Every structure is written in structure tokens, then in C-alpha cells.
Amino acid sequence: MFRKRPHRFAPAVLLAAVVLMLAACGVEYPNSTFNHTSDLNTAIDALWDRLLFLGTIVFVFVEVLLIFTIFKFRKRPGGAPAKQIHGHAALEITWTVIPALILVLIAVPTVRTIFKTQAKAPAGSLEVTVIGHQWWWEFRYPSLGITTANELYIPAGKTVNFTLQSRDVIHSFWTPQLGGKRDLITNRTNYLWYTVNADLAENVFNGFCTEYCGASHANMRFRVYTVSPDKFESWTKRQQANAAMSPMASVAPEVAVASVASSKAKAPATTLAPATQRAVDGYVYPLAQMPKWTLPQTPVPSEIKYDNALLAGGDSARGHEMVANTKNMGIVPCLTCHIIRGEYTTMGLKDDVAAGPNLTHVASRHTFAAGLYPTTPANLARWIKNAQVMKPGSLMTVLGVGEYNPMLKKTNGSTALDDRQIADIVAYLMALK
Ligand code: HEC
Ligand SMILES: [Cu+2]
């Protein structure tokens, strides 16, 4: 039946095809690259459109000719053999020249775009150094004295020049919606620059590592907040401030570092006011405005047992004592691997000595562990207890009592952090706004 009357099914097949095609419309594609959100992806999209246009013409022309030929010259019963010809100069020249012209139409704008996007960034661009780590992102703003992790703020309408480096293996920096991607290569510096459209202030985009880099490659993500220049400046102020509760909390960062460098004394007496919390202000992208596709969806592993009720009793001052002054710590102190600006222990240290993210304003970031989890007390508690279970291969050690450390192949003894101590540390971390 089907073999005899294929045309009967044609309308049904056509309908199915149209329905399928239409089903693709109206869906949100939060990580689509086909956007005109920056000068870079607008330029690249123009190339894509041109290719698609020319390619469609060629496709239609070739297919129509093919179908026509198959139909017209098909074998018929009793038909005469086809005319046998050899060589046709005019035809051969035509089918060489036309493709050559098409290639020129593609090559010229492509090469121009390559030169434009590979050129040095325009003078006056905002410099951001992106450092890939297994498995998280470090963002430094050298001209602003800011170091942060996994959450990048850039001003819309201003050119940003990314200096791309790696601390270990090869990674790749990609924000599909804004442009990229470009590799972060060991012992080599790459650059990438673009200007996000000014009307895209107050947006957030997903970023990914797109070069396989080990166990938690898939867990190496970031967020990009594009904000108005005013809000960017306000955010800058917050990030430049020394950590809350630190002895230097109320001192401008440069002054604090300079005072320690210039005198043997740890700090001028006037600034010795530990546990005073300077009012932290400055812009942070409102959590409530985050579109759902930018919120982490990774389920928290149920293997880590932690009673959330303990978190209510967390004491940030005790947490501060433990973390910053390494009091009562039977574990590798946090500040062996993390910098908290304004604390004596990490005073004047260069970011390069830190194995982990800068925690000075960790609670001002909506996500942690490279976009894997929302920054909530419950998640942070589990992270401190057993970062290896929270993120496979993570280079943060396992710190909870009785937790198994797969790297050392042993279970933590009683000198590790108990759940109450973790609650105190979490209370402290949450104060690092
Ligand atoms: C051996 C080094 C090391 C020690 C010790 C360490 N950490 Fe970490 N920490 C890391 C590394 C590396 C990461 C990044 C992990 C990742 O995202 O893959 C990290 C990530 C974090 C994060 C998430 C930060 C972010 O923005 O993503 C927090 C919070 C944190 N550590 C807190 C602590 C606290 C609190 C302590 C002490 C109780 C501590 N760490 C001890 C290495 C360490
Ligand atoms: Cu990576």
C-alpha cells in the first residue's frame, strides 16, 4: 500500500515536518550563540548569516538540478541510450568560476573579521585577567585591585580585554551568549576582547570551560553579570573593601598593605579593632533577578550528613577566630589555601600563592565551587565538611570529622572540624559579604 501510493502520505509527512520545526520556536535558548549581544558575536554572526545565505542558494540550486535530472533522464522502457559527450569547455569554466567567486565572497569578510578580532584591544579597555584552575575560575581586575572567583562583573558598553592564563592544564573560556571562546594555555597568554551592548545592563549569562580539563571539567562554570557603569563602580567599591570582621575592615586596602609593609608592627593601633564589622555596601546583582537557567541545579549529595538546625547557632566571631587566627584548628588552616584580604595571616600576599579562591567577599557571590551550588549556609557547611563528595576531584581538602579523604586514602580523625565548628565557620563566611 505505502509502496504503491507514496504521494498519499506526502501531506502527512509534510505536516509532521512543519510541526517539528515550529516546535523549535518559542523555546528559550539561554546559551545560544546566535545573539547580537556584543561587537564580537555581531561580527561573527554576520559571517554565519552570509555563509547560510550562500550555502542555501547552492543547496537549492544543486538539489533542484539533481531532482530534475533524475526525473527527466530516468530509464524508460524502450528508451534510447543517453547521448554520450566528452568535455565541455564553457561548462567547466563556469563551474569553476562560480564556486571561486563564492569562496571570495566568504573569504574576504572572514579574513577581515579574523584580523579585527585578533587585533590588540583598544586602549582604555577594562583589563580582566582570567586564570583557569582545576576546576574553577579566578578573575582579577589588576587596575582595580580586585580578585574574585567564578562570578565576573563587567560594565555594559565598555570594552573588556580578557588576559587568559592557566594555573595548570588547558582550559577554555566561553560565554556562549557574549562571545568567545578562547583557550587558556599553560605557560602562554591569550587575549580576548569584546564590548557588551550598552542596553544589556542588568543581565546575567552562563559561562563554561570548553576544554576537557579533568575530573570536574563539567563542574567548571561561571556567571557573567553585565551591569551599568554606575553599578559596576558600586560593585567595585564593595570588592575593594577589606574583609568584614578583619582587623583592617575599616581601612582602605592600599593603606592596610602599605602600613604593614612600612612598619614592623602588625598594624597601626588605631585600626586594631577586630570583629568590628564595617557596613558593607556596594552593588551586587539581585538574587531575585537571576533567570532560572543561571541558578545552579546540581543536587547536593546526600552522603554528607549535616543537621541544618546547627547552622542557626553558628557564631561568626568564633568562626572568624578559627579561620583567620587559625584557633582550635586540628586541620590544614583555611588560609593556607585562601586569601582573605584584611586578615594579618594573608596580609600582603600575592594571589598567586593561593591554591583556592579569594574569600574576601565570598558571600557576595550567588554561587560557589565554580557555579555548582547556590551560596547558602547549608551548602557551605557540606562543602567544608567534604568538598570531595560535593565536587569530584576538588583540590580543597576534606575537613569534617569522620569524613573520608580519597586523596590521602584515610578517614579524618577527631581533630578535624565537628559540625558545630563548621556552623561557626559558615556563619563567618556568610558575613563576608
Ligand atoms: C588545601 C587547600 C585548601 C584548604 C586547606 C581549604 N580550601 Fe577552600 N578551597 C580550595 C580550593 C582549591 C577551592 C576551589 C574548589 C573548586 O571550586 O573546585 C576551594 C573552595 C572554597 C570555597 C568556595 C569558594 C568559591 O567562591 O567558589 C569556600 C567557601 C572555601 N573553599 C572555604 C574554605 C574554608 C572555610 C576552609 C577552612 C575551613 C578551606 N576552604 C580550606 C582549597 C582549600
Ligand atoms: Cu577547565
Side-chain angles (χ1 to χ4, degrees), residues 29 64 75 79 109 132 217 270 320 333 341 349 393 412 421:
Y29 293 104
V64 166
K75 193 175 175 192
H217 163 66
T270 49
H320 176 245
R341 198 165 9 85
L349 288 183
N412 279 349
Q421 287 175 308

Side-chain angles (χ1 to χ4, degrees), residues 251-312:
V251 185
E254 324 78 62
V255 179
V257 173
S259 68
V260 168
S262 65
S263 68
K264 286 275 175 284
K266 279 205 152 180
T270 49
T271 63
L272 264 180
T276 50
Q277 192 162 338
R278 191 176 75 153
V280 262
D281 47 24
Y283 178 78
V284 171
Y285 190 92
L287 184 58
Q289 263 181 42
M290 303 268 287
K292 64 177 185 308
W293 58 81
T294 60
L295 296 171
Q297 304 294 335
T298 311
V300 176
S302 57
E303 296 99 291
I304 309 172
K305 302 282 172 249
Y306 191 91
D307 177 6
N308 287 341
L310 289 174
L311 292 167

Side-chain angles (χ1 to χ4, degrees), residues 86-412:
H86 181 256
H88 191 303
L91 202 58
E92 282 172 24
I93 290 172
T94 314
W95 75 43
T96 307
V97 169
I98 293 179
L101 277 178
I102 294 177
L103 283 186
V104 169
L105 283 181
I106 293 170
V108 170
T110 304
V111 171
R112 284 175 57 171
T113 308
I114 290 174
F115 274 90
K116 189 177 150 212
T117 56
Q118 294 286 328
K120 263 184 120 169
S125 309
L126 173 70
E127 295 291 333
V128 178
T129 308
V130 177
I131 301 164
H133 294 255
Q134 280 174 321
W135 289 275
W136 57 280
W137 300 89
E138 182 172 351
F139 299 119
R140 296 185 195 162
Y141 298 70
S143 58
L144 302 173
I146 295 173
T147 301
T148 183
N150 306 320
E151 300 210 347
L152 175 68
Y153 279 70
I154 55 177
K158 195 168 162 37
T159 307
V160 185
N161 186 26
F162 299 103
T163 299
L164 308 173
Q165 295 171 338
S166 170
R167 176 65 76 83
D168 35 57
V169 300
I170 302 179
H171 304 274
S172 189
F173 178 72
W174 193 31
T175 316
Q177 289 224 54
L178 298 178
K181 54 183 112 162
R182 202 150 291 168
D183 279 8
L184 291 77
I185 299 174
T186 324
N187 292 331
R188 192 197 139 95
T189 301
N190 268 351
Y191 298 91
L192 173 77
W193 58 268
Y194 52 69
T195 317
V196 173
N197 299 352
D199 60 1
L200 280 177
E202 275 45 81
N203 271 281
V204 49
F205 302 97
N206 287 325
F208 304 87
C209 177
T210 51
E211 183 70 59
Y212 179 68
C213 59
S216 260
H217 163 66
N219 299 326
M220 184 169 168
R221 299 175 223 165
F222 58 99
R223 303 284 182 273
V224 183
Y225 300 91
T226 54
V227 301
S228 69
D230 284 357
K231 291 194 167 140
F232 180 74
E233 181 150 352
S234 167
W235 175 83
T236 302
K237 290 275 168 317
R238 170 190 287 267
Q239 301 295 321
Q240 283 172 334
N242 284 318
M245 303 176 77
S246 72
M248 297 294 172
S250 51
V251 185
E254 324 78 62
V255 179
V257 173
S259 68
V260 168
S262 65
S263 68
K264 286 275 175 284
K266 279 205 152 180
T270 49
T271 63
L272 264 180
T276 50
Q277 192 162 338
R278 191 176 75 153
V280 262
D281 47 24
Y283 178 78
V284 171
Y285 190 92
L287 184 58
Q289 263 181 42
M290 303 268 287
K292 64 177 185 308
W293 58 81
T294 60
L295 296 171
Q297 304 294 335
T298 311
V300 176
S302 57
E303 296 99 291
I304 309 172
K305 302 282 172 249
Y306 191 91
D307 177 6
N308 287 341
L310 289 174
L311 292 167
D315 180 319
S316 59
R318 274 202 310 254
H320 176 245
E321 280 291 285
M322 276 192 276
V323 173
N325 301 337
T326 60
K327 288 249 170 75
N328 313 319
M329 273 214 161
I331 49 144
V332 194
C334 314
L335 299 192
T336 319
C337 301
H338 294 284
I339 286 181
I340 299 181
R341 198 165 9 85
E343 294 297 348
Y344 292 143
T345 325
T346 59
M347 191 80 73
L349 288 183
K350 291 255 185 301
D351 290 312
D352 295 311
V353 303
N358 189 306
L359 298 182
T360 310
H361 297 285
V362 63
S364 74
R365 307 197 280 261
H366 295 315
T367 63
F368 73 97
L372 203 51
Y373 299 106
T375 311
T376 61
N379 291 345
L380 284 173
R382 286 162 177 78
W383 176 259
I384 294 169
K385 194 159 180 181
N386 196 331
Q388 302 286 324
V389 170
M390 289 289 272
K391 184 169 179 177
S394 161
L395 296 177
M396 169 145 159
T397 61
V398 175
L399 297 169
V401 168
E403 294 292 316
Y404 180 70
N405 185 328
M407 285 192 178
L408 303 178
K409 292 200 170 55
K410 63 173 210 199
T411 301
N412 279 349

